[in-house]
């Protein structure tokens, strides 16, 4: 076991003490249900009611649209290379200094929210470490906790959990992929056969002493052992992270639940609640997607201090809601060297303006609204008309979120509906966005998908046909709601595109 501490800066907090009482101590955190929290935000925005979310069931009263002929977008999408004053962006300098900041501002104000200006610092501490083996790959595993400084509001504690896995036989610094998920030991060390035999003998003796009727049972079953040897490979096959390690990469499992709860009733807790001192959000405060991305940035802070890690090749990965978070993290933090966006759907890589499957009304419903800032609710509002915003008036769309990653490598991954990656996710809407983002990649001297700029009409590639020649990549595997079948392809592509010698 090892123990050490490392202080690292965060990115944000001002103090919001909305409704705080003038006492000698800070007010207790507000306790809302998700419905109460959403209602509070709607009241702030002057919204009386929300439009209902479409159902994934085709026989429901309000079914989602799956008719491609009316899916749209009915209008155009924002021009990623045109300034708000109408002038075209024709140079990298104009992109970095003018257009990209405009896009980032619109996303923060209208969709994902703003991270406060002075979030407390994070101190990373090693809790435990041990050597393990992932299949045939020996690795060193370290469990860490990132403690967020909370002296300004001790009522809320945020202790981020992360498990770092690094190849044991690497000859130099390795790339690392931050993966949103439970920060568990990937393959805990097991007792030797001799140790296991002693454990089983002691267990049987203890059970027989406690219940003598078990003694003849054990005597009649001399081969029975309470504990068996752990299999070399887990049931159902190894997880995708094993392919990362097998490719000579490290990975870090970052537990989003220890950063910010995935629920509206948690918005006055977690890192968002800590920075707001337990009070409800303002209309442009960050939602859970930005909070999880902030956590990934704090993990990156730590990883850049490890000599075993290639600081320029730290990536971020996620699937579904965590695919959205991975793309958001890479878009706003340019230190991420690359990103793998798995089955992210609307609010991630899929166009907001598409009327296909998952809808804006889905994202603004009580089940998912907490991923976004309050202002985004206006695009799902019903009444009054003065508070409602049509989605065509949203100043940004997902092709611009992808473009914010440029020229860094960005791999967009999906499965197929037949295997469980539901039509609801609108795979084609992400394809359209990726095609439309290509202009920025080319402007910055990188390679896009290589299919031109006709984002409306360019057909999607066949399943298992990857477009992997540039920094912007696409591949639809034949599996379900996972990026697992694309992990090996991703690692090979990333090594090639970044010039890593294996």
């Amino acid at each position: 076991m090892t123990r050490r501490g490392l202080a690292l800066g965060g990115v944000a907090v001002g103090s919001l003490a909305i409704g705080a009482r003038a006492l000698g101590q800070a007010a207790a955190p507000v306790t809302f249900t998700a419905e109460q929290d959403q209602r509070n935000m709607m009241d702030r925005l002057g919204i009386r009611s929300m439009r209902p979310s479409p159902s994934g069931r085709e026989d429901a009263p309000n079914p989602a649209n799956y008719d491609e002929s009316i899916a749209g977008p009915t209008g155009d999408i924002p021009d990623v290379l045109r300034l708000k004053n109408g002038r075209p962006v024709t140079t990298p300098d104009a992109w970095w200094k003018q257009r990209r900041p405009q896009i980032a501002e619109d996303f923060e104000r209208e969709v994902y929210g703003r991270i406060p200006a002075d979030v407390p610092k994070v101190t990373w501490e090693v809790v435990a470490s041990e050597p393990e083996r992932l299949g045939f790959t020996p690795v060193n595993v370290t469990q860490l906790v990132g403690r967020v400084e909370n002296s300004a509001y001790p009522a809320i504690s945020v202790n981020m959990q992360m498990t770092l896995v690094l190849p044991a036989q690497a000859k130099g610094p390795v790339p690392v992929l931050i993966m949103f998920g439970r920060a568990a030991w990937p393959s805990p060390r097991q007792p030797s056969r001799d140790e296991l035999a002693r454990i089983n003998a002691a267990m049987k003796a203890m059970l027989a002493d406690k219940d003598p009727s078990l003694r003849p049972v054990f005597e009649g079953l001399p081969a029975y052992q309470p504990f068996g040897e752990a299999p070399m490979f887990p049931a159902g096959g190894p997880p995708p992270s094993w392919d990362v390690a097998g490719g000579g990469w490290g990975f870090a499992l970052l537990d989003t639940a220890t950063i910010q709860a995935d629920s509206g009733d948690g918005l006055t807790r977690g890192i968002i609640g800590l920075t707001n001192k337990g009070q409800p959000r303002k209309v442009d405060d960050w939602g859970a997607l930005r909070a999880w991305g902030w956590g990934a940035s704090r993990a990156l802070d730590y990883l850049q201090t490890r000599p075993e890690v290639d600081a320029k090749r730290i990536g971020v990965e996620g699937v579904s809601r965590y695919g959205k978070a991975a793309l958001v993290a890479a878009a706003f933090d340019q230190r991420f060297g690359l990103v793998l966006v798995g089955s992210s759907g609307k609010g991630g890589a899929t166009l907001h303006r598409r009327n296909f499957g998952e809808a804006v009304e889905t994202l603004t419903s009580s089940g998912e609204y907490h991923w976004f800032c309050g202002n985004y609710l206006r695009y799902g509002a019903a009444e009054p008309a003065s508070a409602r915003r049509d989605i065509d008036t949203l100043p940004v769309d997902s092709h611009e979120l992808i473009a914010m990653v440029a020229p860094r490598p960005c791999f967009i991954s999906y499965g197929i509906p037949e295997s469980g990656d539901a039509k609801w996710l609108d795979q084609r809407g992400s394809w359209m966005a990726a095609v439309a983002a290509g202009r920025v990649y080319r402007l910055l001297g990188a390679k896009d998908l290589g299919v031109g700029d006709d984002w409306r009409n360019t057909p999607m590639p066949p399943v298992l046909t990857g477009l992997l020649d540039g920094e912007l990549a696409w591949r639809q595997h034949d599996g379900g709601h996972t990026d697992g079948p694309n992990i090996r392809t991703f690692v090979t592509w990333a090594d090639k595109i970044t010039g890593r010698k294996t």
Side-chain angles (χ1 to χ4, degrees), residues 213-468:
S213 69
L214 291 175
R215 196 176 306 279
V217 174
F218 293 144
E219 290 173 351
L221 299 169
Y224 168 74
Q225 302 295 337
F227 302 110
E229 290 187 53
M232 186 171 187
F233 296 100
S241 57
W242 288 33
D243 281 332
V244 177
W249 287 46
F251 61 91
L253 303 173
L254 182 63
D255 191 340
T256 58
T258 62
I259 303 167
Q260 185 64 45
D262 186 14
S263 175
D265 60 11
L267 288 171
T268 55
R269 305 295 195 279
I271 189 61
I272 295 175
L274 176 60
T275 58
N276 286 342
K277 296 188 175 179
Q279 304 304 303
R281 297 183 300 164
K282 299 193 301 291
V283 297
D284 62 348
D285 278 352
W286 48 341
L289 295 179
R290 287 288 324 255
W292 298 334
W294 170 88
S297 290
R298 304 290 69 75
L300 184 148
D301 290 341
Y302 172 78
L303 293 172
Q304 288 184 328
T305 71
R306 296 284 298 242
E308 312 99 308
V309 174
D310 184 339
K312 294 183 179 179
R313 292 186 175 94
I314 298 173
V316 59
E317 175 271 352
V319 175
S320 196
R321 66 197 63 192
Y322 303 129
K324 304 181 204 293
L327 181 55
V328 169
F332 282 97
D333 189 339
Q334 296 178 56
R335 298 176 303 157
F336 285 109
L338 62 165
V339 59
L340 171 55
V341 185
S343 299
S344 62
K346 199 168 256 84
T350 294
L351 292 171
H352 294 258
R353 285 164 167 79
R354 283 267 293 177
N355 175 27
F356 190 98
E358 187 175 27
V360 171
E361 289 85 354
T362 308
L363 302 180
T364 56
S365 70
S366 59
E368 299 177 355
Y369 80 95
H370 60 280
W371 296 342
F372 305 92
C373 70
N375 278 332
Y376 192 64
L377 290 176
R378 298 180 301 169
Y379 298 93
E383 298 292 341
S386 60
R388 176 174 176 164
R389 299 288 185 274
D390 187 88
I391 194 60
D392 286 336
T393 68
L394 185 70
V396 283
D397 215 318
S398 61
H399 63 301
E400 294 170 299
L401 190 67
I402 298 170
M404 285 179 66
V405 179
R408 293 165 291 148
C410 177
F411 187 117
I412 299 176
S413 165
Y414 277 92
I416 58 174
E418 295 82 355
S419 297
D421 207 36
K423 290 190 299 181
W424 179 259
L425 295 168
D426 187 16
Q427 291 85 354
R428 178 161 176 76
S430 284
W431 166 253
M432 289 176 160
V435 173
R439 296 167 61 207
V440 176
Y441 273 83
R442 298 198 306 271
L443 178 71
L444 300 181
K447 292 183 180 180
D448 65 349
L449 298 175
V451 297
D453 295 326
D454 188 358
W455 59 271
R456 284 187 182 275
N457 301 309
T458 301
M460 288 172 59
V463 175
L464 300 180
T465 301
L467 299 182
L468 308 170

Side-chain angles (χ1 to χ4, degrees), residues 84-156:
K84 289 183 179 290
N85 62 13
R87 294 178 181 173
V89 174
T90 59
T91 66
D93 191 63
W95 166 258
W96 291 115
K97 294 181 179 179
Q98 299 179 67
R99 183 60 179 139
R100 192 181 189 279
Q102 288 180 347
I103 292 171
E105 164 62 20
D106 286 339
F107 270 122
E108 288 193 308
R109 185 186 65 251
E110 299 294 319
V111 186
Y112 301 111
R114 306 180 193 279
I115 297 176
D118 188 23
V119 172
K121 70 178 182 180
V122 177
T123 300
W124 285 99
E125 177 184 338
V126 173
V127 176
S129 60
E130 70 170 27
E132 294 185 9
R133 183 176 290 273
L134 303 184
F136 298 102
T137 305
V139 295
N140 294 319
V141 182
T142 305
Q143 283 204 325
L144 302 111
V145 60
R147 305 190 191 281
V148 183
E149 205 281 322
N150 70 337
S151 60
Y153 194 69
I156 295 176

